[in-house]
Amino acid sequence: MSDTRKIINDGLWTNNPALVQILGLCPLLAVSSTVINALGLGLATTLTLVSSNLVVSLIRNQTRPEIRIPVFVLIIAAVVTAIELSMNAFFHELYLVLGIFIPLIVTNCVIIARAEAFASKNSPGASVLDGLMMGIGFTAVLVVLGGLREVIGQGTLFANAHLMFGELGYNMTITLIEDYRGFLLAILPPGAFMLLGFMIAIKNVIDARRKRAASAVILTAPVGA
Amino acid sequence: MEFKTPTSPHIHSGASVSRVMLLVIAAMIPGIAVYVGYFGWGVVINILLAIVTALACEAGMLIIRKRPVLPFLYDGSALVTAFLLALALPPIAPWWIVVLGAAFAIIIAKQLYGGLGYNPFNPAMAGYVMLLVSFPIEMTRWQAPLVNSETSLSFIDSWNIIFSGIAEKIGDNITDAITMATPLDNLKTELRLDQSVEQIINGNPLFSHLAGLGWEWINIAFLVGGLFLIYKRIISWHIPVAVLATIAVLSGVFYLIDADKFSSPMIHLLSGATMLGAFFIATDPVSATSSNPGRIIYGVGIGIFIYVIRTWGGYPDAVAFSVLLMNMVAPTIDYYVKPRVFGHKK
């Protein structure tokens, strides 16, 4: 497997930040009550990951190893501040909904983990790709979890889409279940924990099946082939 | 989850799990009979619904987990869970409440943790709390005791209310006619309005000589069933006595301090799920502590939580929350309260 393919595969599946590394759970569980909230936070996190990975990778040869962690933290904080201010400017309502969790992206362990484990050792191009793929992997889990919680919890999908897509978003809300009474557990944090647990379990089942299928292929391959 | 096996002796009384479970159910019968007398056939329908759901979910999960199905179904533990959950629910709750609660109890609170013997939380109470948190309206809509109201509920009436929600469709007249706050609920609301306990209880049709109308006899019937379990050595006396004594002492002290603001020990002991909780729920052998001193600490903790949440908390009754909270610390209690191993010094 080539390096690029490995980076993509790692971020999206094998080493997915939410399903395998289980990093950044605080925003993952707190904000994923609707698809739109999840998407907003996921995109902000992705943008942070890409930018911080790029900068960390660019200065990796100038930073002394003794002080690298504080330097990374400063870079990430600067990036997050910029993203926070621009969200406040362009998506003000969404910014108000996500609230404290935007500045808290600074403390999301996925970002410092990628800076330390990947960007500080690899070229800027590979680091940007890694940041993008980890970000998309994180966003995907966040959005699926948000979708599950929204459907089970209040019977809708894409509620409040206007926060992100403006006027267009008013027509995006889909009511899947009419007269739904709401299932509060899915909206509350315990429901998020349980659903994330189920998602991790499903991923493990898929992996186990694949592994079994792969080993079956090897076993049945003719000798000397 | 892994639990440490307590120290020896591991003497076995010859009681099999299914015999224990069947005796537990037998001991519930007087309580259930009185309950049906006061609240109608909804109780029985709830129990049947819960049993069917619990057994189906148990069988399904056992098949998925590739475990033997029949031995685990025959052990009766899912049956007891179904009974406890159904007894905790309002007798006019819609059918999906019961089904959802029983499914949650068996699938998530029991089988996902590894099945019988591995669940850290009491499955019935986990299911009940999930319902209470998720569907507060359905879960707090209780009916008035039948002796008290003009409407009578036949089996068919209860069936219709549970399965088609007919009371809601016809209009609020019938719903209003048969629903009423529970005594504990009523007490809590009125106390918030600065009424004294005596003002609330005097002349209130919800209350009777000892405690809430109907509830006093339901509790006494469960007390009788519980004593039978202790006599049969199915449960030890430690947990129920600790729970009840703690509630009695706490409510007694506060009652002596201010009888206007705090209801009497009698009301606390004979209201809500006190007796069912102390004898049947808290004594669950899997999720409770395993040594006798540990059981006392566990029971005292449940008693404190019940009184504190009832008196100062947001919910009128608190048996389920208290049991779950003490389930959480039960392994820690077991760790610190180790019985002396025979032949060793402490």
Side-chain angles (χ1 to χ4, degrees):
Chain A
M1 201 187 285
S2 70
D3 264 6
T4 320
R5 274 195 63 191
K6 189 180 176 324
I7 293 172
I8 295 175
N9 211 15
D10 264 1
L12 296 186
W13 189 262
T14 346
N15 201 15
N16 185 296
L19 294 183
V20 181
Q21 304 177 48
I22 324 262
L23 289 178
L25 277 191
C26 165
L28 186 80
L29 299 171
V31 175
S32 65
S33 54
T34 67
V35 174
I36 295 301
N37 287 358
L39 193 62
L41 191 88
L43 291 181
T45 310
T46 309
L47 205 58
T48 314
L49 263 168
V50 172
S51 327
S52 70
N53 265 12
L54 175 68
V55 180
V56 166
S57 174
L58 283 174
I59 61 158
R60 70 186 190 280
N61 296 326
Q62 277 77 47
T63 328
R64 293 185 60 84
E66 294 88 347
I67 55 156
R68 67 183 195 287
I69 299 288
V71 172
F72 295 165
V73 172
L74 284 175
I75 291 170
I76 296 168
V79 169
V80 171
T81 310
I83 288 174
E84 186 200 348
L85 290 175
S86 30
M87 277 191 82
N88 196 354
F90 300 112
F91 300 101
H92 184 67
E93 278 183 76
L94 185 64
Y95 171 83
L96 290 181
V97 172
L98 294 180
I100 185 70
F101 291 100
I102 299 287
L104 273 182
I105 295 176
V106 179
T107 61
N108 191 330
C109 341
V110 180
I111 293 160
I112 190 99
R114 291 331 285 172
E116 164 72 8
F118 196 92
S120 63
K121 298 176 187 120
N122 288 285
S123 68
S127 301
V128 167
L129 184 68
D130 177 75
L132 188 64
M133 288 306 141
M134 286 287 165
I136 293 175
F138 185 73
T139 310
V141 174
L142 207 60
V143 168
V144 173
L145 188 61
L148 287 173
R149 288 178 71 185
E150 196 179 335
V151 170
I152 302 175
Q154 49 190 51
T156 61
L157 259 183
F158 304 110
N160 298 330
H162 63 278
L163 296 182
M164 196 173 243
F165 302 105
E167 288 300 312
L168 241 166
Y170 283 108
N171 302 322
M172 285 179 67
T173 307
I174 309 166
T175 309
L176 291 175
I177 313 168
E178 294 290 338
D179 287 337
Y180 193 50
R181 285 154 181 275
F183 188 15
L184 226 62
L185 183 74
I187 304 284
L188 297 171
F193 269 107
M194 284 178 207
L195 286 171
L196 182 68
F198 280 117
M199 286 174 69
I200 296 173
I202 291 169
K203 184 198 175 284
N204 289 344
V205 169
I206 295 173
D207 280 349
R209 290 243 165 108
R210 272 191 187 172
K211 211 173 168 185
R212 221 179 301 144
S215 62
V217 170
I218 294 167
L219 284 176
T220 51
V223 184
Chain B
M1 272 187 85
E2 191 195 347
F3 291 106
K4 290 218 168 75
T5 312
T7 52
S8 57
H10 299 280
I11 295 174
H12 197 268
S13 70
S16 68
V17 176
S18 51
R19 183 174 160 270
V20 169
M21 297 292 175
L22 285 179
L23 273 172
V24 169
I25 290 171
M28 280 187 232
I29 287 173
I32 295 172
V34 180
Y35 203 171
V36 172
Y38 277 103
F39 288 96
W41 291 100
V43 183
V44 178
I45 300 173
N46 276 352
I47 292 177
L48 293 177
L49 262 177
I51 290 177
V52 171
T53 316
L55 291 182
C57 292
E58 179 104 331
M61 286 303 284
L62 287 168
I63 291 170
I64 293 175
R65 293 181 54 224
K66 302 194 176 76
R67 298 292 146 99
V69 176
L70 285 182
F72 280 111
L73 282 189
Y74 280 130
D75 72 21
S77 60
L79 216 56
V80 171
T81 301
F83 268 90
L84 291 177
L85 177 73
L87 289 177
L89 297 175
I92 49 171
W95 62 272
W96 50 267
I97 284 273
V98 188
V99 170
L100 215 73
F104 184 91
I106 296 293
I107 296 176
I108 292 182
K110 186 179 174 194
Q111 289 292 339
L112 282 188
Y113 283 100
L116 180 63
Y118 294 96
N119 46 304
F121 298 105
N122 186 318
M125 290 303 102
Y128 175 80
V129 164
M130 184 280 287
L131 291 172
L132 188 61
V133 170
S134 302
F135 307 103
I137 299 173
E138 283 79 5
M139 290 297 287
T140 47
R141 193 160 54 197
W142 281 80
Q143 70 190 89
L146 290 178
V147 283
N148 198 11
S149 62
E150 290 120 36
T151 39
S152 65
L153 277 177
S154 68
F155 187 84
I156 305 291
D157 289 338
S158 294
W159 182 276
N160 283 339
I161 289 172
I162 289 173
F163 283 96
S164 46
I166 213 159
E168 289 168 55
K169 276 177 193 154
I170 291 177
D172 282 332
N173 295 337
I174 292 185
T175 324
D176 283 347
I178 60 167
T179 58
M180 203 177 260
T182 63
L184 279 176
D185 211 355
N186 184 263
L187 204 57
K188 180 152 217 147
T189 326
E190 297 292 325
L191 277 175
R192 288 228 172 107
L193 300 173
D194 275 341
Q195 301 266 32
S196 76
V197 174
E198 215 185 320
Q199 277 174 320
I200 300 168
I201 292 177
N202 269 348
N204 188 333
L206 276 177
F207 288 89
S208 180
H209 312 292
L210 301 172
L213 179 72
W215 290 101
E216 49 192 20
W217 293 109
I218 294 174
N219 271 289
I220 288 171
F222 279 122
L223 169 67
V224 172
L227 293 176
F228 167 75
L229 283 186
I230 292 178
Y231 167 73
K232 278 290 198 180
R233 303 277 179 101
I234 299 294
I235 57 174
S236 71
W237 56 268
H238 303 81
I239 293 177
V241 168
V243 173
L244 297 178
T246 310
I247 295 178
V249 168
L250 271 177
S251 53
V253 168
F254 280 98
Y255 183 67
L256 287 180
I257 294 175
D258 189 349
D260 281 347
K261 285 209 178 81
F262 300 98
S263 36
S264 68
M266 188 68 92
I267 287 180
H268 275 285
L269 287 176
L270 295 181
S271 285
T274 307
M275 290 298 169
L276 182 69
F279 286 97
F280 293 89
I281 299 171
T283 51
D284 170 26
V286 178
S287 54
T289 45
S290 56
S291 66
N292 285 342
R295 285 185 180 126
I296 301 251
I297 300 174
Y298 176 81
V300 169
I302 290 178
I304 293 176
F305 276 127
I306 290 180
Y307 187 75
V308 168
I309 298 177
R310 270 183 187 174
T311 313
W312 296 284
Y315 286 93
D317 204 355
V319 172
F321 289 113
S322 313
V323 168
L324 289 183
L325 283 166
M326 289 312 286
N327 282 166
M328 274 181 218
V329 291
T332 316
I333 297 175
D334 272 339
Y335 178 83
Y336 284 106
V337 189
K338 278 185 200 150
R340 187 177 63 88
V341 180
F342 183 71
H344 289 257
K345 281 180 184 158
K346 186 83 182 172

